């Protein structure tokens, strides 16, 4: 999806003009995938923009950095504040935010210990990742021929820039074959997640979603959905999902910050009932929650400065 430029990007503590937010071609992160990042959305609410679960996203960025052994040169509070400033200074009613920390310019080679850590935060307007009618019409999924890397190869629990080569291989394979999105299996053959979303699979009236141990990122939308489902009286279970669970599912949806809640209409050309009743109810409530219209969820709608 093309990026729409905005005014300012936060870079290492300063607001810089969009066009000047550049890095040197010998930046370590460009060569070795040595970075961690987040994807966050700010939504329009009656009281102006609210950044959904900002503190939780920044906490996950710190976890990703810890897994990599990378020390971020700012505190959690400083990065939360910087995200709020970026949204405020660009004056957007709603947007997508991309904080990234990466090993910088000055050192080359695989010893990352002497490398500097740079941090940047950009935001821009971004529409529905899997299309505007992804909830009602659903998306076509393909089980990827690419395997999600295992925990001792590239830790899938860390949102590391280099990890996403694996996701891109799967995404492009699915698109080239005429599908919308890829489902990734772990090395043991169990379902992990999608190239950029977690997955929920309805079986016998319950919603199953694979755990971190199956190679899934611990999605912030995944946990939001579990709370919403509970409010709505649906049972969710974090448990292993086999490939055949997909083919006989009563309904399937995928979820993530970018994709929000999107229904699935088929997996490997086997039709899935779509949009399912649980998917529809959860997708609708999700939009109300992120727009600050549901009591009890106010703490997750974080206001910019
Ligand atoms: N899995 C992967 C591989 C992702 O890239 C994302 C998007 N960050 C997700 C799951 C969903 O995570 P979240 O709901 O926190 O955006």
């Amino acid at each position: 999806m093309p990026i729409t430029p905005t005014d300012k990007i936060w870079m290492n503590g300063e607001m810089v003009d969009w066009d000047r937010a550049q890095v040197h071609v010998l930046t370590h992160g460009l060569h070795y995938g040595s970075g961690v990042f987040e994807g966050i959305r700010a939504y329009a609410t009656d009281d102006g923009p609210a950044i959904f679960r900002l503190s939780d996203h920044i906490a996950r960025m710190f976890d990703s950095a810890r897994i990599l052994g990378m020390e971020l040169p700012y505190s959690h509070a400083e990065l939360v504040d910087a995200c709020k400033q970026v949204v405020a200074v660009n004056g957007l009613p709603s947007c997508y935010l991309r904080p990234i920390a990466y090993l910088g310019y000055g050192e080359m080679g695989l010893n990352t210990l002497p490398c500097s850590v740079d941090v940047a935060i950009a935001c821009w307007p971004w529409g529905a990742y899997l299309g505007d009618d992804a909830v009602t019409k659903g998306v076509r999924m393909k089980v990827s021929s690419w395997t999600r890397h295992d925990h001792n190869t590239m830790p899938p629990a860390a949102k590391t820039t280099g990890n996403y080569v694996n996701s891109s291989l799967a995404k492009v394979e699915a698109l080239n074959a005429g599908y919308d999105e890829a489902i990734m299996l772990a090395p043991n053959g169990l379902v992990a997640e999608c190239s950029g979303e977690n997955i929920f699979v309805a079986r016998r009236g319950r919603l199953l979603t694979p755990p971190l141990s199956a190679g899934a990122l611990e999605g912030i939308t995944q946990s939001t959905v579990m709370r919403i489902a509970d409010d709505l009286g649906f049972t969710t279970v974090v448990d292993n999902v086999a490939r055949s669970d997909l083919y006989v599912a009563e309904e399937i949806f995928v979820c993530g910050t970018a994709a929000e809640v999107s229904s699935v209409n088929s997996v490997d050309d086997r039709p899935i009932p779509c949009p399912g009743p649980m998917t529809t109810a959860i997708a609708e409530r999700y939009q109300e929650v992120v727009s600050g219209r549901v009591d009890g969820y106010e703490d997750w709608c974080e206001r910019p400065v």
Side-chain angles (χ1 to χ4, degrees), residues 9 14 42 63 73 98 103 151-153 206 215 231 233 245 262:
I9 291 179
E14 318 238 316
D63 285 348
R98 171 55 57 84
L103 300 187
H151 294 276
N152 293 319
T153 310
R206 299 185 316 163
D231 286 354
D245 285 316
S262 301

Side-chain angles (χ1 to χ4, degrees), residues 19-303:
D19 289 336
R20 295 176 65 87
Q22 293 176 353
V23 296
H24 195 277
V25 73
L26 293 181
T27 298
H28 194 281
L30 184 61
H31 294 249
Y32 301 117
S34 47
V36 297
F37 69 103
E38 274 301 318
I40 313 173
R41 275 190 192 270
Y43 287 90
T45 75
D46 290 343
D47 304 318
I51 312 175
F52 192 64
R53 299 192 63 179
L54 169 63
S55 301
D56 292 332
H57 278 282
I58 297 299
R60 187 173 65 186
M61 189 159 153
F62 274 86
D63 285 348
S64 297
R66 282 174 73 185
I67 293 172
L68 235 65
M70 174 193 281
E71 201 169 326
L72 300 187
Y74 298 96
S75 67
H76 179 273
E78 285 169 330
L79 291 186
V80 165
D81 188 56
C83 287
K84 292 180 175 181
Q85 284 178 34
V86 172
V87 173
V89 80
N90 286 298
L92 299 169
S94 63
C95 59
Y96 181 82
L97 284 93
R98 171 55 57 84
I100 182 165
Y102 53 95
L103 300 187
Y105 168 83
E107 293 282 340
M108 200 46 92
L110 298 180
N111 176 12
T112 58
L113 298 175
C115 292
S116 60
V117 177
D118 289 327
V119 184
I121 307 167
C123 74
W124 65 92
W126 212 16
Y129 179 66
L130 292 175
D132 286 332
D133 49 9
V135 179
T136 46
K137 284 201 180 148
V139 291
R140 296 183 68 215
M141 308 290 286
K142 177 191 190 311
V143 172
S144 187
S145 75
W146 296 98
T147 303
R148 169 60 87 229
H149 30 70
D150 85 2
H151 294 276
N152 293 319
T153 310
M154 301 272 278
K159 210 167 157 53
T160 309
T161 56
N163 277 5
Y164 280 80
V165 174
N166 177 246
S167 281
S168 287
L169 286 167
K171 177 79 179 179
V172 172
E173 177 189 66
L175 292 176
N176 282 338
Y179 299 84
D180 300 306
E181 179 53 306
I183 297 174
M184 315 224 34
L185 306 183
N188 66 4
L190 294 172
V191 175
E193 57 176 348
C194 309
S195 72
E197 302 85 26
N198 292 103
I199 189 165
F200 282 84
V201 178
R203 291 277 282 131
R204 302 196 176 90
R206 299 185 316 163
L207 287 164
L208 308 177
T209 189
L212 180 154
S213 57
L217 185 73
E218 281 191 312
I220 288 172
T221 319
Q222 182 188 41
S223 77
T224 304
V225 159
M226 290 176 72
R227 181 166 160 198
I228 289 175
D230 193 50
D231 286 354
L232 295 172
F234 304 140
T235 305
T236 56
V237 185
V238 178
D239 200 359
N240 286 327
V241 172
R243 184 172 186 162
S244 40
D245 285 316
L246 302 171
Y247 298 150
V248 295
E250 290 131 30
E251 51 186 295
I252 300 181
F253 63 86
V254 302
C255 69
T257 299
E260 302 177 307
V261 178
S262 301
S263 357
V264 170
N265 62 35
S266 66
V267 178
D268 292 341
D269 303 312
R270 289 147 176 93
I272 309 292
C274 171
M278 289 194 278
T279 306
T280 305
I282 289 168
E284 278 174 16
R285 181 63 66 90
Y286 184 77
Q287 287 305 324
E288 291 166 4
V289 163
V290 295
S291 319
R293 285 184 274 132
V294 182
D295 290 342
Y297 288 84
E298 300 83 358
D299 289 353
W300 280 353
C301 300
E302 301 179 39
R303 307 277 160 201

